[in-house]
Amino acid sequence: MIKRKQPIILIAVLIAILVLELLPYGIVLEFAHISPDLSISYYEQHFSYFDLIVYGYGNVGALFTAILTCVLLVISIINLLVDNDKIKTTIKIVSLIALVASLAPLIVNSYSVIGGVISFLLLVIVVIPIKKDVNDSAL
């Protein structure tokens, strides 16, 4: 029976991040349209973190963040089953890299509120201490 609460909370936060990344509101791209009278109008389109159109327009941080979130979820499930300090260190390092990658849309001005929530939740994962519970050390 699994008695550790922290890995379960970690997995719940990662699932919430994945749901937010799947929503089509994570990345905002701004496009220009030239009308026949040569006036320029701008419009925005919203995309998911997993959308390759965003990658094609030079925003590699969103797709990289989405892939690292999937890797974090797999590593966290392994951490839930096997308690190992190397796995916990790997979770910290990968989550820190994902946090830095999630801030990359700020460079190309495609950051949104959903992107801010994703970055905040990745920061929560970096800050959450993943340690052994006192009850687990007795087993």
Side-chain angles (χ1 to χ4, degrees):
M1 183 175 181
I2 300 171
K3 293 186 178 182
R4 293 175 279 150
K5 294 180 184 176
Q6 290 170 336
I8 294 173
I9 293 171
L10 181 69
I11 290 172
V13 170
L14 284 169
I15 289 173
I17 291 172
L18 274 176
V19 167
L20 289 174
E21 288 175 348
L22 287 171
L23 292 175
Y25 306 110
I27 299 294
V28 178
L29 293 181
E30 189 172 309
F31 297 100
H33 176 69
I34 300 176
S35 63
D37 62 348
L38 298 179
S39 64
I40 298 175
S41 61
Y42 295 97
Y43 64 96
E44 294 179 347
Q45 284 188 342
H46 301 268
F47 298 96
S48 166
Y49 268 60
F50 289 97
D51 201 343
L52 292 178
I53 292 174
V54 176
Y55 181 76
Y57 279 102
N59 190 348
V60 296
L63 184 63
F64 193 59
T65 302
I67 291 171
L68 286 177
T69 305
C70 294
V71 169
L72 273 172
L73 185 61
V74 170
I75 294 172
S76 298
I77 291 172
I78 292 172
N79 182 38
L80 186 64
L81 301 174
V82 178
D83 193 22
N84 190 350
D85 289 336
K86 291 181 182 178
I87 294 174
K88 294 173 185 173
T89 306
T90 305
I91 289 173
K92 289 293 183 185
I93 292 171
V94 173
S95 62
L96 187 62
I97 294 170
L99 174 64
V100 171
S102 73
L103 296 174
L106 283 172
I107 297 171
V108 292
N109 198 19
S110 62
Y111 211 64
S112 68
V113 175
I114 300 292
V117 172
I118 290 171
S119 296
F120 176 74
L121 289 175
L122 284 170
L123 179 66
V124 167
I125 291 175
V126 170
V127 174
I128 287 178
I130 304 173
K131 58 184 177 182
K132 288 185 178 180
D133 287 341
V134 212
N135 298 335
D136 289 341
S137 61
L139 296 177

